Amino acid sequence: MPLPPLTLSLQFGRFDDVATHRAALPRHAVTRWLRHALERAGEFTVRIVDTEEGRALNRAYRHKDYATNVLTFDYASEPVVMADLVLCAPVVAQEAAAQGKPLAQHYAHLLVHGALHAQGWNHETSESDAEAMEAREIAILARLGFPNPYACTPR
């Protein structure tokens, strides 16, 4: 079955070490990772931000005063999945280092995770929902050639 079409806007904020994050996120790879996570056509904006912007967005929209790894702003799921994914570069880099993963591998996981949220998957509603979402992520990442992101890391 062919992968769904995707319209992608890939944006990078201004922050230290942006070149490292650009190198980990070539457009063709981001497109591939997202298309594998989609069940239907999608229109995504992916924005890579610094800690300040990530914290401000998390505070404004989730009322949590810290920068988190990925925020999903989903606008529509039918007939086309439309969402913004905002990833905080310093948080992603710190997590990748702490988990002993390449930066690109962690970004792939978070993009898949965010794309699933945009399609209605949720890991915060129940243990069974969390298990189902994790299983879906693991299967998608395996098709992309990545190992289980939960094998050595706590949920």
Side-chain angles (χ1 to χ4, degrees):
M1 170 153 68
L3 294 174
L6 172 69
T7 301
L8 174 66
S9 173
L10 180 58
Q11 305 172 0
F12 291 84
R14 295 180 189 211
F15 54 88
D16 293 339
D17 206 22
V18 69
T20 298
H21 295 269
R22 281 185 185 277
L25 292 162
R27 181 184 246 329
H28 72 277
V30 172
T31 299
R32 181 173 177 258
W33 301 336
L34 289 173
R35 287 182 70 204
H36 273 79
L38 287 172
E39 296 169 8
R40 65 190 64 77
E43 295 178 9
F44 280 78
T45 295
V46 173
R47 181 162 172 78
I48 312 304
V49 302
D50 63 7
T51 303
E52 184 179 341
E53 186 174 346
R55 181 177 182 179
L57 289 167
N58 202 26
R59 184 174 47 240
Y61 293 98
R62 295 181 66 226
H63 311 292
K64 297 183 180 188
D65 194 19
Y66 58 88
T68 190
N69 52 16
V70 61
L71 292 167
T72 301
F73 298 92
D74 55 324
Y75 308 112
S77 60
E78 298 276 347
V80 175
V81 179
M82 297 174 65
D84 294 341
L85 303 179
V86 179
L87 295 98
C88 182
V91 173
V92 175
Q94 179 210 19
E95 289 175 351
Q99 295 171 20
K101 297 177 181 178
L103 186 58
Q105 179 178 321
H106 195 42
Y107 269 123
H109 175 213
L110 294 173
L111 288 166
V112 166
H113 183 89
L116 290 178
H117 272 305
Q119 296 171 93
W121 292 81
N122 195 333
H123 55 87
E124 295 177 346
T125 47
S126 71
E127 186 65 28
S128 63
D129 288 347
E131 289 171 2
M133 185 168 174
E134 285 180 12
R136 182 79 174 127
E137 290 173 35
I138 292 164
I140 292 165
L141 291 165
R143 283 197 312 272
L144 290 165
F146 292 112
N148 178 346
Y150 297 104
C152 299
T153 59
R155 181 176 337 135

Coordinates of all heavy atoms in Angstrom, one line a residue, residues 13 22 69 71 79 84 129 137 139 147:
G13 N 14.0 27.6 14.2 CA 14.2 28.9 14.9 C 15.7 29.2 14.9 O 16.5 28.5 14.4
R22 N 19.8 20.8 12.1 CA 19.4 20.8 10.6 C 20.0 19.5 10.0 O 19.4 18.8 9.2 CB 20.0 22.0 9.9 CG 19.2 23.2 10.1 CD 19.8 24.4 9.2 NE 19.2 25.6 9.4 CZ 18.1 26.0 8.8 NH1 17.5 25.2 8.0 NH2 17.5 27.2 9.1
N69 N 9.7 18.1 25.0 CA 10.4 17.6 23.8 C 9.6 17.9 22.5 O 10.1 18.4 21.5 CB 10.8 16.2 23.9 CG 9.7 15.2 24.3 OD1 8.5 15.6 24.3 ND2 10.1 14.0 24.7
L71 N 5.5 19.2 21.1 CA 4.1 19.7 21.3 C 3.4 19.4 19.9 O 3.9 19.7 18.9 CB 4.1 21.2 21.6 CG 4.7 21.6 22.9 CD1 4.9 23.1 23.0 CD2 3.7 21.2 24.0
P79 N -10.7 15.3 6.2 CA -10.2 14.2 5.4 C -8.6 14.2 5.4 O -8.0 13.2 5.0 CB -10.8 14.4 4.0 CG -10.9 15.9 3.9 CD -11.2 16.4 5.3
D84 N 0.6 21.1 13.5 CA 1.9 21.7 13.7 C 2.6 20.8 14.8 O 2.0 20.5 15.8 CB 1.9 23.1 14.3 CG 1.3 24.1 13.3 OD1 1.3 23.8 12.1 OD2 0.8 25.2 13.7
D129 N -4.4 2.7 26.5 CA -4.1 3.6 25.4 C -2.6 3.9 25.3 O -2.1 3.9 24.1 CB -4.8 5.0 25.7 CG -6.3 4.9 25.5 OD1 -6.8 3.9 24.9 OD2 -7.0 5.9 25.9
E137 N 3.9 3.1 17.7 CA 5.2 3.7 17.5 C 6.3 2.7 17.2 O 7.1 2.9 16.3 CB 5.6 4.6 18.7 CG 4.8 5.8 19.0 CD 5.1 6.5 20.3 OE1 6.3 6.5 20.7 OE2 4.2 7.0 20.9
A139 N 6.1 -0.3 16.0 CA 6.0 -0.9 14.7 C 6.4 0.1 13.6 O 7.0 -0.4 12.6 CB 4.5 -1.3 14.5
P147 N 15.4 1.0 16.2 CA 15.0 0.1 17.3 C 13.9 0.6 18.2 O 13.5 1.8 18.1 CB 16.3 0.0 18.1 CG 17.0 1.3 17.9 CD 16.6 1.7 16.4

